[in-house]
Amino acid sequence: MSDMTIARGRRSRWGLFIAPLLLLILAAAWSGFWFYAASQAETAADAWRAQEAKAGRIYDCAKRSIAGFPFRFEVQCSGASVALVSQNASKTPFTAKLDNILVLAQVYDPKHVIAEFSAPATLTDGVTQNTFVVNWSKGETSVIGLPAVPERASIVFDDPSLNRMNGSVQVPLARARQIELHGRLADGSTSDHPVIETVLHVAQGSIQGVHPLLAEPFEADTRAKIAGLTDLTPKPWPQRFREIQAAGGHIEIVQSRIQQGEMIAVAAGTLGLSANGRLDGELQMTVTGLERVIPALGIEKMLEEGVPQATLDRVAPGVKTQDLNNLFGALDRAIPGLGKVIKQNANAGVAAGINSIGTESTLEGKKARSFPLRFVDGAVLLGPVKVGEIPPLY
């Protein structure tokens, strides 16, 4: 065998080892990179928690671990809790606790973070000492743009339900088949004047214990824009609302649609904040099915049983319950039965009053009524009638 043949044999045997050796080096380098990136992720998480704490939102984990090698990061937070601490130190913080949060990110796309939440969550209001339990079959959020200012975010809950604890019994308050909330920076937004576009969808939602109308399932879709922000750094909500008011900010309801059976309501308009932190603005509404809603409000029954003073204060400020009862009594004495007739026709009278507000319209091929819904320093006005009051936001 010649020397040249021996040399070629040695080179061919070395070739057999080169590929595994390079693979080993790459694996070691990738492992080093993954563990370094994992440690940086934990450092970034701690920095984010510290930043949130300054804004009054304290996040904690009873146990935290990181896994997912080799192609993604999985941060597991067991025994998770969130405390919303008031700036007023005398108030007990609002707390939320849930079993587990799993945060996922791919190594090749670390700016896209997905979090999965395990039900149930227990919410405690330290001021009223009320405790609530929230359940869902699937809870997930997605955020793009971290660790800088997020470009877009979404949160989705399937089959969510909210119950209030009454001793050891859970009293149903609200539920839905699905709730979705999406938000993103509007095109052309700047870091010092960001504009947020949001979309909210509620499927088969219902609210118990307030009014029978709200207990019936409804569908809701709302698109809105929030302007007047100066930045997107974490801040307590009262401070954020004050900044929006000072900057002349507002929420533009681009389009809102609610459907409950045959009743459909759409609305659009702009809402701002008064100096007192209350809602100011106007929504233009178009509604079908008012003839079904008015009887369901039970106005006739209210009059028969006596209108509570709190209700009168909302719908007719200054009118006293005794004054109303005296009026019906005087009508009955003057013309026997007149007071009863008026009570029995109360729903028709209110419906006629609402029909006198606004204009006839058509909505999705159905007869409808269009009218303004105004907000004046927190008071909610349907035409000239005050129908509610919204508390201040700060």
Side-chain angles (χ1 to χ4, degrees):
M1 183 179 296
S2 67
D3 292 342
M4 185 176 295
T5 303
I6 295 174
R8 276 200 298 266
R10 288 174 180 172
R11 282 198 297 271
S12 62
R13 285 194 295 272
W14 272 109
L16 294 175
F17 294 104
I18 289 176
L21 184 60
L22 289 175
L23 185 61
L24 182 63
I25 293 172
L26 286 174
W30 182 262
S31 299
F33 164 76
W34 187 93
F35 283 105
Y36 171 76
S39 67
Q40 291 298 106
E42 290 198 280
T43 301
D46 290 336
W48 175 79
R49 286 178 56 217
Q51 187 179 36
E52 285 286 297
K54 293 179 181 179
R57 296 182 287 270
I58 300 176
Y59 297 82
D60 201 5
C61 296
K63 181 181 178 181
R64 188 175 72 182
S65 60
I66 188 165
F69 180 83
F71 297 116
R72 68 178 186 176
F73 303 113
E74 300 178 0
V75 180
Q76 196 92 233
C77 175
S78 302
S81 66
V82 182
L84 305 183
V85 182
S86 171
Q87 289 179 314
N88 185 344
S90 65
K91 291 184 179 180
T92 307
F94 180 87
T95 58
K97 296 181 180 180
L98 63 160
D99 291 337
N100 188 73
I101 300 175
L102 176 62
V103 181
L104 306 171
Q106 302 295 337
V107 171
Y108 56 82
D109 190 13
K111 291 186 176 182
H112 184 191
V113 175
I114 296 173
E116 299 175 355
F117 308 101
S118 299
T122 302
L123 315 178
T124 304
D125 187 338
V127 177
T128 63
Q129 297 304 312
N130 287 327
T131 300
F132 305 88
V133 176
V134 185
N135 258 299
W136 57 88
S137 61
K138 180 182 179 181
E140 184 177 283
T141 185
S142 174
V143 183
I144 297 176
L146 294 176
V149 175
E151 299 169 8
R152 61 179 66 235
S154 64
I155 185 166
V156 179
F157 285 100
D158 291 342
D159 306 306
S161 65
L162 173 64
N163 299 331
R164 178 175 56 83
M165 294 301 300
N166 185 3
S168 59
V169 179
Q170 294 190 23
V171 180
L173 293 181
R175 61 191 65 251
R177 184 171 59 81
Q178 187 180 65
I179 295 179
E180 296 182 44
L181 177 61
H182 305 272
R184 73 179 187 94
L185 285 174
D187 293 338
S189 285
T190 58
S191 58
D192 56 341
H193 290 92
V195 176
I196 308 298
E197 295 180 336
T198 64
V199 176
L200 172 65
H201 172 67
V202 179
Q204 295 294 297
S206 64
I207 301 173
Q208 288 77 39
V210 177
H211 192 280
L213 271 178
L214 297 176
E216 296 183 30
F218 61 86
E219 304 281 328
D221 289 279
T222 301
R223 293 192 297 117
K225 286 185 178 182
I226 304 172
L229 301 169
T230 56
D231 56 56
L232 292 177
T233 58
K235 295 177 183 178
W237 281 111
Q239 180 182 345
R240 178 70 73 189
F241 286 131
R242 286 191 182 94
E243 289 181 356
I244 292 175
Q245 195 278 331
H250 60 267
I251 298 176
E252 179 189 354
I253 308 298
V254 180
Q255 185 178 34
S256 178
R257 183 185 186 276
I258 299 175
Q259 179 168 6
Q260 186 185 64
E262 295 298 315
M263 191 277 289
I264 302 174
V266 298
T270 301
L271 300 176
L273 290 172
S274 69
N276 297 320
R278 297 176 181 268
L279 282 181
D280 261 337
E282 182 177 300
L283 298 179
Q284 187 64 36
M285 298 191 67
T286 301
V287 183
T288 68
L290 277 177
E291 66 281 356
R292 185 188 73 87
V293 175
I294 296 302
L297 292 174
I299 295 172
E300 177 187 338
K301 184 179 179 181
M302 267 199 312
L303 292 176
E304 288 286 358
E305 297 177 352
V307 184
Q309 187 61 55
T311 301
L312 273 177
D313 288 340
R314 290 197 303 271
V315 301
V319 177
K320 301 300 181 184
T321 301
Q322 188 59 43
D323 296 337
L324 197 61
N325 292 335
N326 290 342
L327 172 62
F328 290 128
L331 290 172
D332 278 327
R333 287 192 299 273
I335 303 176
L338 180 58
K340 184 177 181 180
V341 170
I342 292 176
K343 290 179 182 180
Q344 290 174 343
N345 287 276
N347 285 321
V350 173
I354 291 181
N355 282 335
S356 68
I357 301 171
T359 58
E360 288 187 6
S361 183
T362 301
L363 177 61
E364 300 181 13
K366 299 179 181 180
K367 186 177 179 181
R369 201 82 191 171
S370 294
F371 51 83
L373 184 67
R374 295 186 298 126
F375 298 81
V376 182
D377 199 25
V380 186
L381 302 174
L382 182 58
V385 181
K386 180 180 177 181
V387 296
E389 183 84 26
I390 298 178
L393 299 178
Y394 57 81

